[in-house]
């Protein structure tokens, strides 16, 4: 049994049993992958995949169990590599982050700039996607960290730590009826067409909950995952935009009127997550601390060390309570 063979079966399973796609991802040939899988199955004495002619059609029951253990084993192999790298060259390596557009565009630039100044030999990889996509990237080991606000139920197998609270702001054109309102009310806002985030992105659930709690059904005329897109259509006069307050720049958005909305909606909390079994290199702790200063190495290690998921969740909620509410 070879580590390479275990990589092959994992990649084939990840690629929907498409051996050609797996071979391309592994930078090798399709016949080579097929041959190595056959050799592994012969050595183990069981089939990992069911074959339909030359194609793989499904994973066998034995294959399912083997893949579960293989995934854990390969993660430990990766950890061994990271440990060696940490002692060999602590300031060199890779850091992969999976997150949403809002975090990548507004929350992370300053953090990444400072991190790069501190660790110029670390190569950064930024992946953008939906919360479920982000969770899968981190769970599968394709990303070191997942940063998200919404749909935390997708992140159950990750250690999720609270980073910061934020709220929303309403943006309108100067000629919009709400532009001169001093204290915006939810019913008043709901009486106008609204442009905001797609459901499942950037705290959209808190917005929907606020309207529902007051028996209101807002007229959402357009949704997008990108705050810049939302602002574009606000400028075109399609409606009032509701975006994360960190997405508002007084200089870049000087042509729009910003209305405070933190009294209308419950604040949201952005979290950063990683696989509990992952070995965190020194620069990874530094990245987390740059993004959320209260998440020290001691705090991270203490929560990650809690084996019971429910106890870990309770400790995380306690940490959320100690964080300052957004101003």
């Amino acid at each position: 049994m070879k580590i390479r063979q275990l990589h092959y079966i994992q990649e084939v399973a990840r690629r929907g049993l498409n051996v050609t796609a797996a071979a391309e991802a592994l930078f090798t040939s399709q016949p080579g992958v097929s041959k190595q899988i056959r050799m592994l199955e012969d050595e183990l004495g069981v089939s990992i995949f069911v074959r339909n002619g030359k194609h793989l059609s499904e994973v066998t029951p034995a294959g399912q169990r083997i893949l579960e253990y293989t995934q854990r084993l390969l993660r430990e192999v990766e950890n061994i590599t990271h440990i060696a790298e940490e002692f060999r060259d602590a300031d060199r390596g890779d850091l992969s982050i999976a997150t949403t557009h809002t975090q990548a565009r507004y929350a992370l630039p300053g953090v990444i700039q400072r991190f790069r100044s501190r660790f110029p030999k670390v190569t950064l990889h930024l992946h953008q996607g939906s919360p479920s996509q982000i969770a899968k990237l981190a769970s599968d080991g394709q990303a070191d960290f997942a940063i998200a606000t919404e749909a935390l139920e997708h992140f159950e197998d990750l250690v999720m730590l609270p980073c910061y609270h934020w709220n929303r702001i309403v943006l309108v054109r100067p000629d919009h009826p709400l532009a001169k309102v001093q204290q915006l009310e939810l019913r008043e806002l709901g009486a106008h067409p609204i442009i905001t985030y797609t459901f499942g992105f950037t705290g959209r659930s808190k917005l929907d909950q606020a309207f529902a709690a007051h028996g209101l059904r807002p007229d959402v005329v357009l949704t997008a995952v990108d705050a810049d897109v939302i602002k574009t259509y606000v400028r075109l006069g399609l409606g009032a935009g509701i975006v994360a307050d960190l997405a508002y720049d007084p200089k870049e958005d000087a042509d729009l009127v910003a209305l405070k909305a933190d009294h209308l909606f419950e604040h949201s909390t952005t979290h950063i997550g990683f696989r509990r079994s992952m070995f965190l290199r020194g620069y990874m702790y530094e990245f987390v601390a740059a993004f959320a200063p209260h998440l020290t190495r001691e705090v991270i290690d203490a929560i990650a060390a809690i084996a019971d998921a429910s106890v870990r969740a309770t400790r995380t909620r306690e940490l959320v309570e100690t964080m300052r509410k957004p101003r």
Side-chain angles (χ1 to χ4, degrees):
M1 185 186 305
K2 300 176 182 177
I3 296 294
R4 179 179 59 178
Q5 294 171 330
L6 303 184
H7 275 295
Y8 285 2
I9 63 173
Q10 275 292 329
E11 195 62 37
V12 167
R14 182 182 295 136
R15 301 284 170 175
L17 306 186
N18 187 323
V19 179
T20 301
E24 291 175 355
L26 293 164
F27 302 102
T28 187
S29 67
Q30 181 269 328
V33 171
S34 297
K35 179 181 177 181
Q36 288 298 323
I37 292 175
R38 282 286 194 187
M39 290 174 64
L40 177 60
E41 290 177 322
D42 289 343
E43 180 181 348
L44 294 175
V46 296
S47 295
I48 297 172
F49 302 104
V50 175
R51 289 164 175 81
N52 184 4
K54 294 183 178 181
H55 302 286
L56 304 183
S57 58
E58 61 181 294
V59 181
T60 67
Q64 292 283 3
R65 296 300 303 277
I66 290 170
L67 286 167
E68 290 174 12
Y69 280 86
T70 298
Q71 186 176 52
R72 292 202 292 268
L73 177 60
L74 291 177
R75 286 176 179 173
E76 292 304 328
V77 170
E78 184 180 10
N79 283 339
I80 292 170
T81 302
H82 286 167
I83 291 170
E85 291 171 343
E86 183 70 9
F87 282 88
R88 186 175 65 246
D89 194 346
D91 293 344
R92 182 188 297 275
D94 290 89
L95 179 59
S96 180
I97 303 160
T99 189
T100 61
H101 172 271
T102 297
Q103 301 296 329
R105 169 68 175 83
Y106 297 104
L108 285 172
V111 174
I112 288 177
Q113 186 177 41
R114 293 191 297 274
F115 180 83
R116 282 287 299 159
S117 297
R118 173 71 177 81
F119 298 98
K121 296 180 181 178
V122 174
T123 302
L124 285 157
H125 307 276
L126 201 58
H127 307 277
Q128 295 179 54
S130 67
S132 59
Q133 292 170 332
I134 293 166
K136 190 173 190 321
L137 286 169
S139 297
D140 290 348
Q142 298 179 67
D144 299 310
F145 292 121
I147 300 175
T149 299
E150 280 281 5
L152 294 184
E153 67 273 9
H154 292 299
F155 300 81
E156 288 182 350
D157 56 344
L158 302 179
V159 177
M160 296 299 291
L161 302 172
C163 298
Y164 66 92
H165 300 307
W166 58 271
N167 215 306
R168 293 139 194 82
I169 198 165
V170 175
L171 300 176
V172 296
R173 294 196 337 177
D175 59 351
H176 193 279
L178 297 177
K180 301 191 184 307
V181 172
Q182 297 298 314
Q183 178 81 357
L184 187 61
E185 297 297 333
L186 197 63
R187 188 171 298 277
E188 192 175 21
L189 174 61
H192 296 274
I194 289 173
I195 308 168
T196 191
Y197 298 107
T198 301
F199 187 79
F201 283 81
T202 319
R204 169 65 191 275
S205 60
K206 300 282 177 143
L207 185 149
D208 291 342
Q209 289 166 12
F211 280 109
H214 289 77
L216 301 174
R217 296 186 64 181
D219 180 18
V220 179
V221 296
L222 189 147
T223 66
V225 301
D226 184 334
D228 293 331
V229 171
I230 293 171
K231 287 186 278 188
T232 294
Y233 287 94
V234 170
R235 290 185 172 100
L236 291 175
L238 265 69
I242 305 177
V243 299
D245 50 12
L246 70 162
Y248 170 67
D249 186 309
K251 292 183 179 179
E252 292 184 4
D253 302 320
D255 58 324
L256 298 175
V257 176
L259 304 170
K260 290 190 66 174
D262 52 358
H263 61 292
L264 302 179
F265 307 106
E266 182 184 351
H267 71 265
S268 293
T269 304
T270 292
H271 290 70
I272 187 167
F274 58 93
R275 300 184 310 282
R276 182 171 171 268
S277 61
M278 184 176 75
F279 173 77
L280 294 179
R281 297 191 58 186
Y283 62 75
M284 293 179 176
Y285 286 106
E286 293 287 343
F287 174 82
V288 175
F291 189 58
H294 62 283
L295 295 179
T296 62
R297 181 189 288 252
E298 292 73 24
V299 170
I300 294 170
D301 287 346
I303 295 179
I306 301 173
D308 189 296
S310 61
V311 176
R312 192 165 64 242
T314 299
R315 178 67 184 91
T316 302
R317 285 193 295 271
E318 291 172 353
L319 184 59
V320 170
E321 292 303 315
T322 67
M323 293 168 56
R324 292 173 57 188
K325 299 294 189 294
R327 287 183 285 179

